[in-house]
Amino acid sequence: MVGAWWGRGNSQFTPLVFRMASTTQQTAAAVTAWARDNIGLHSALTIAPGRYGLHVETNAGIRAGTTLLAIPGDLLITSNSARRASKLLGVSTAGVELVHEEAHVAMAVWLMNATAHPEAAPRHAGWLAALPKAFDCTIEWSEAELAHLQASHARSRANNLRRWADAEHGRLISKHAAASGSAWSQERFRWALCAVWSRSFHLQQGSWRVLPPAADFFNHAVAPSVPSAHLEVMTDEETSLDEIDDDESTRVAAEAAVRAAEAASAADEARVAGDGRSIASAAAGGGATATVRFVAIRDLGVAEHVEIDYGGRSNAEMLTTHGFAIYGNAHESLPLSLAPTAGDPLGAIKAKILAAGNLSVPFALSVGALHTDSDLLVALRILVSSADELKHYSRAFRGEPVSERNERRWRVVLRQHADALLREREAQTTAEEDAALLAALPLEQASGRKAAALVTRLGEKRLLARVLAELEKMRSAVSLVEQSEARVTERAGVVVPQ
């Protein structure tokens, strides 16, 4: 995914263009030909260059239900196939061997080596050549660019992830003398991580992470646009993960996709030659057991961009991993850490209840979370409970109030947290000032990271203001009910103790 969107209305979006290397028509034509030959790219689709990099568009109409592309298992990149390939693709030559590395790290190291030695993965070469030369995930931002985020959660995430990435690079790569030069640099490792973060997918229920070549050219459908395709995983029995309900069947089907990639790597290992960097990516004997495919979920017109849904995520998340922000993001939220207070004699019991209910920090703070059985609301009701109220903690897990007093207490606690977060974020500029800055940006500056930072920090400030307004609305509604009840009881001659 390349680029970002923001706008000044609910339905008007203006693209933000980050500093991406321009993509030529020649590169687009080459990767389109590669995709037709290797992953069954539909003849009515073309991978084309645009203002934000490569994207997929139609050159003819396509009916709903049509398979747009189908990536065989032997071309899928997973953490397991990357670990196995680390012995083949030149990584071991550099002294780096992946054993139990985190999935993104394993795939990033594979990507570093494969782009440095395209002859090592000939069946991926056409796709590798079309990858962007730079990404806009925030670990690539300068300190001056990060400063535009102010106190946004995106800034703390960028700093934490950069420290983690540099530590991983030092642990895995830089200590090996053979792993030297620009191909194995800290900057290149960050680039590879950004590529994996922004271009890989979780299979059903997040069981496995997979990087399907060329599927990464499907951009995100930003409202009011409607997604035009979705991902399916097909096993040999042609069982779609989308059609499976039980966890065990889902796990088996997901593992089948991973086994396909591992089978390809195992076949490659048997054909290793020379210095260990030259391999063929095809699985011998038709070993692939699964295919990742993308299917049209609605009719597509001519010259239409094919877009998918990246999922409901906050701007801080999207900016961190994908390098774009959405003005008026309907999925905006902030992480909130809550725990029993140090002096709470019931703190240990409350912590056990939360752990038993699989509730852990951080909790997602949003306006919607105040009116559902969200993890945030369940945790708040338990954390502010008295000894008597704690006897009825199961009500919180059912999405029910524990008591009226409990409801008032959690609203007070949450208001304190939200108010503190808003004051922290508005220490430099208010939401109103950010909105004015965004509207006044010159066109050339409205196409860069500064604008994305403005959109992100503005969204968080507005979210906190909405949360505070909603809490006040809830308090006022309760006060009106209490006043009405008091008037009724007074007329009936009943004294209500304060």
Side-chain angles (χ1 to χ4, degrees), residues 102-418:
E102 191 269 342
H104 300 89
V105 172
M107 296 161 72
V109 172
W110 180 92
L111 199 56
M112 291 171 74
N113 191 79
T115 51
H117 305 286
E119 73 280 3
R123 286 194 65 200
H124 292 89
W127 165 68
L128 292 170
L131 288 177
K133 307 304 180 188
F135 290 99
D136 279 289
C137 65
T138 51
I139 64 169
E140 296 277 54
W141 288 28
S142 68
E143 289 300 323
E145 289 168 334
L146 288 174
H148 291 304
L149 288 165
Q150 296 182 351
S152 166
H153 178 53
R155 187 174 185 178
S156 60
R157 286 196 73 186
N159 289 328
N160 291 337
L161 282 172
R162 181 176 292 174
R163 285 192 292 269
W164 168 81
D166 292 349
E168 287 292 284
H169 179 270
R171 182 180 67 84
L172 269 175
I173 298 171
S174 65
K175 65 182 179 181
H176 299 288
S180 59
S182 59
W184 294 98
S185 67
Q186 196 174 72
E187 292 73 22
R188 193 62 178 170
F189 183 55
R190 291 180 186 175
W191 172 88
L193 282 173
C194 288
V196 175
W197 286 338
S198 62
R199 309 178 93 77
S200 60
F201 298 81
H202 272 303
L203 298 189
Q204 183 80 354
Q205 299 183 353
S207 301
W208 301 95
R209 178 155 289 277
V210 60
L211 177 54
D216 51 327
F217 299 129
F218 289 125
N219 282 343
H220 178 50
V222 180
S225 296
V226 178
S228 44
H230 70 174
L231 177 151
E232 294 181 355
V233 178
M234 308 300 293
T235 66
D236 277 345
E237 293 77 21
E238 295 190 345
T239 303
S240 169
L241 289 184
D242 289 338
E243 300 167 355
I244 296 176
D245 293 324
D246 63 285
D247 292 342
E248 178 61 19
S249 295
T250 298
R251 182 187 64 78
V252 171
E255 287 176 347
V258 177
R259 283 198 304 272
E262 290 182 338
S265 293
D268 292 340
E269 190 167 2
R271 294 197 297 272
V272 176
D275 62 0
R277 290 189 304 208
S278 180
I279 66 168
S281 298
T289 60
T291 297
V292 168
R293 70 174 188 171
F294 286 78
V295 179
I297 56 177
R298 60 179 176 81
D299 292 346
L300 302 176
V302 181
E304 183 173 348
H305 287 209
V306 182
E307 299 172 329
I308 60 177
D309 184 2
Y310 286 13
R313 302 167 63 188
S314 69
N315 276 339
E317 293 179 90
M318 285 292 197
L319 195 61
T320 299
T321 57
H322 290 70
F324 68 87
I326 303 170
Y327 184 88
N329 188 350
H331 303 286
E332 194 65 85
S333 67
L334 277 172
L336 187 61
S337 293
L338 298 171
T341 58
D344 187 351
L346 301 171
I349 297 175
K350 293 174 180 177
K352 287 182 179 179
I353 292 174
L354 293 176
N358 292 318
L359 297 181
S360 59
V361 295
F363 301 104
L365 173 62
S366 67
V367 175
L370 308 184
H371 298 285
T372 64
D373 58 343
S374 64
D375 288 356
L376 171 65
L377 196 46
V378 174
L380 281 167
R381 284 170 170 160
I382 290 172
L383 289 172
V384 303
S385 288
S386 65
D388 286 337
E389 290 167 347
L390 210 54
K391 298 174 184 177
H392 308 288
Y393 74 86
S394 61
R395 293 175 182 172
F397 284 96
R398 294 197 298 268
E400 302 170 1
V402 176
S403 75
E404 286 302 321
R405 288 185 177 181
N406 183 281
E407 291 295 284
R408 289 195 291 270
R409 284 198 298 273
W410 75 251
R411 286 195 291 268
V412 170
V413 169
L414 186 57
R415 185 163 60 246
Q416 292 170 345
H417 279 278

Side-chain angles (χ1 to χ4, degrees), residues 4-21:
W5 289 265
W6 68 280
R8 300 188 176 88
N10 292 330
S11 62
Q12 181 180 357
F13 290 81
T14 304
L16 287 181
V17 185
F18 293 153
R19 281 181 287 277
M20 292 292 182

Side-chain angles (χ1 to χ4, degrees), residues 431-476:
E432 291 74 17
E433 289 169 336
D434 284 348
L437 288 170
L438 190 59
L441 276 180
L443 183 60
E444 63 273 12
Q445 292 184 27
S447 57
R449 293 173 177 177
K450 181 179 179 179
L454 272 169
V455 169
T456 300
R457 78 193 200 201
L458 172 61
E460 291 184 4
K461 293 171 187 179
R462 285 180 168 172
L463 167 66
L464 291 167
R466 289 197 303 272
V467 167
L468 288 168
E470 188 66 18
L471 288 170
E472 178 60 25
K473 179 180 176 183
M474 295 167 73
R475 187 195 66 80
S476 299

